[in-house]
Amino acid sequence: MIRFDHVTQGPVRNLSFDLDRGGTAKILFDSEDRKNQFFRLLAGRRRPETGKILFFGEDLFARAEDERVALFQRIGVVPADGGMISNLKAWENLLLPAWYHRGLTAAQAERPVAAIFEQLGEGEAGLKQRMGELPDKLSLYERRAVALARAMLMEPDILIYDFTFAGLDRDAAQQLMKLTGEFHGRKAGRVSLYLCPDDAVSARLAADSTITLTH
């Protein structure tokens, strides 16, 4: 599902790994710069100096840019900052990709979104209040919860978590970890890739394999 074949770009040097169907992996980084460079490679924003990156058995950079868009529709991302559009309310941010790509209406999205927030310990009243807020009114945890729900609505084959648990207290991080694990198991063959700082919180995250990128 994901393969890095001797990839070098900036601080990422000669990296090789395979993540097969149904697998989970966490990649630990000793610096945010190294993580950001790796993320640009994953997102197709930076071409490797050497090596190949493959998704679903296809060389990412052998495709034209418009063809990569179709490929990435099968891949979800939960950005570290939530990745929200500042002038759209949380609910509008959450719904936009599923409406645009899957034709999902607001009414169709309400039940699965409510179920996600209930798993995070959010009551119905709290959910409604957060959905009506602009991103700058949300806490870091709330922005990530919205981003997580937004990605889950797309039912991706691969879900990439970008420092999703970093900077949160123990209980908040644990809630998000539990939800990601449950979501992983709900679709046969789904792949979960966690980008994490090398810290105590990330050490509690269970994964099939761990890769450490350091100097």
Side-chain angles (χ1 to χ4, degrees):
M1 297 283 275
I2 303 177
R3 182 183 180 190
F4 271 55
D5 185 8
H6 299 287
V7 171
T8 292
Q9 173 60 53
V12 178
R13 312 301 299 176
N14 198 35
L15 175 62
S16 294
F17 73 89
D18 289 281
L19 189 50
D20 295 328
R21 280 178 53 83
T24 62
K26 60 181 175 180
I27 302 183
L28 304 179
F29 298 88
D30 61 356
S31 73
E32 191 164 353
D33 176 63
R34 193 184 299 271
K35 185 271 293 184
N36 288 339
Q37 190 76 309
F38 179 83
F39 185 80
R40 293 185 193 103
L41 290 166
L42 267 182
R45 299 174 188 164
R46 185 67 57 86
R47 184 182 294 271
E49 297 167 12
T50 62
K52 293 181 178 180
I53 300 172
L54 295 91
F55 286 108
F56 311 109
E58 297 189 43
D59 184 343
L60 178 60
F61 291 95
R63 282 178 164 238
E65 188 171 350
D66 60 339
E67 292 177 326
R68 289 181 217 158
V69 173
L71 190 67
F72 278 111
Q73 286 182 14
R74 299 176 62 188
I75 302 170
V77 177
V78 181
D81 63 356
M84 302 172 73
I85 300 171
S86 62
N87 63 343
L88 294 183
K89 294 178 181 179
W91 175 247
E92 295 167 329
N93 270 283
L94 194 159
L95 181 61
L96 185 59
W99 169 78
Y100 184 79
H101 294 292
R102 298 185 61 206
L104 202 66
T105 66
Q108 291 169 327
E110 283 181 3
R111 180 171 292 183
V113 170
I116 291 169
F117 275 79
E118 285 171 8
Q119 287 180 276
L120 294 174
E122 296 289 344
E124 187 68 22
L127 169 62
K128 289 181 179 179
Q129 179 182 357
R130 284 158 177 78
M131 292 299 94
E133 299 282 3
L134 291 173
D136 64 355
K137 301 298 183 182
L138 304 181
S139 69
L140 177 62
Y141 171 78
E142 290 164 352
R143 292 197 302 274
R144 289 180 181 167
V146 169
L148 187 55
R150 179 182 60 200
M152 288 178 171
L153 277 181
M154 293 295 291
E155 291 292 341
D157 295 313
I158 296 173
L159 194 44
I160 300 167
Y161 301 93
D162 178 16
F163 272 37
T164 301
F165 318 116
L168 302 178
D169 65 46
R170 181 187 179 95
D171 289 343
Q174 195 63 43
Q175 284 180 322
L176 293 183
M177 283 183 191
K178 182 179 179 182
L179 181 58
T180 66
E182 291 173 352
F183 181 73
H184 175 84
R186 290 208 298 265
K187 185 175 184 179
R190 175 175 283 139
V191 162
S192 297
L193 179 61
Y194 299 89
L195 314 185
C196 305
D198 191 0
D199 60 11
V201 172
S202 303
R204 297 199 302 271
L205 175 65
D208 299 328
S209 60
T210 299
I211 301 162
T212 303
L213 293 187
T214 60
H215 290 293

